[in-house]
Amino acid sequence: LRDRNLLAYGHGMSQANGFRSDDIVLNWLGLDHVGAISMMHGLAVFLGCTQVHAATVYVVQQMSRWLD
């Protein structure tokens, strides 16, 4: 992916879903996963919003924790 691809993704996702800089992004995928880096972290950086990272094992052991 190139910079402009990631910027276009951030712009499109924020417009389509109404994401704003005062939102909070939760990520429970490892940062070695492309989805975590490009989708969750990249979107949060694009928006300038707060990021919360939970350990994958913690969430997978009890999926209802994801809702908490």
Side-chain angles (χ1 to χ4, degrees), residues 56-68:
T56 303
V57 171
Y58 178 78
V59 175
V60 171
Q61 286 176 341
Q62 186 177 340
M63 291 303 289
S64 62
R65 290 177 176 159
W66 182 72
L67 300 174
D68 292 337

Side-chain angles (χ1 to χ4, degrees), residues 9 20-55:
Y9 169 79
R20 301 183 324 255
S21 61
D22 59 344
D23 287 331
I24 299 171
V25 172
L26 169 67
N27 173 46
W28 58 274
L29 295 173
L31 290 177
D32 58 342
H33 188 282
V34 68
I37 290 292
S38 64
M39 296 175 67
M40 304 308 293
H41 175 68
L43 180 62
V45 169
F46 175 81
L47 292 170
C49 67
T50 300
Q51 299 180 56
V52 175
H53 297 273

Side-chain angles (χ1 to χ4, degrees), residues 1-11:
L1 296 172
R2 297 189 183 269
D3 292 348
R4 68 179 169 200
N5 299 116
L6 297 173
L7 291 172
Y9 169 79
H11 183 71

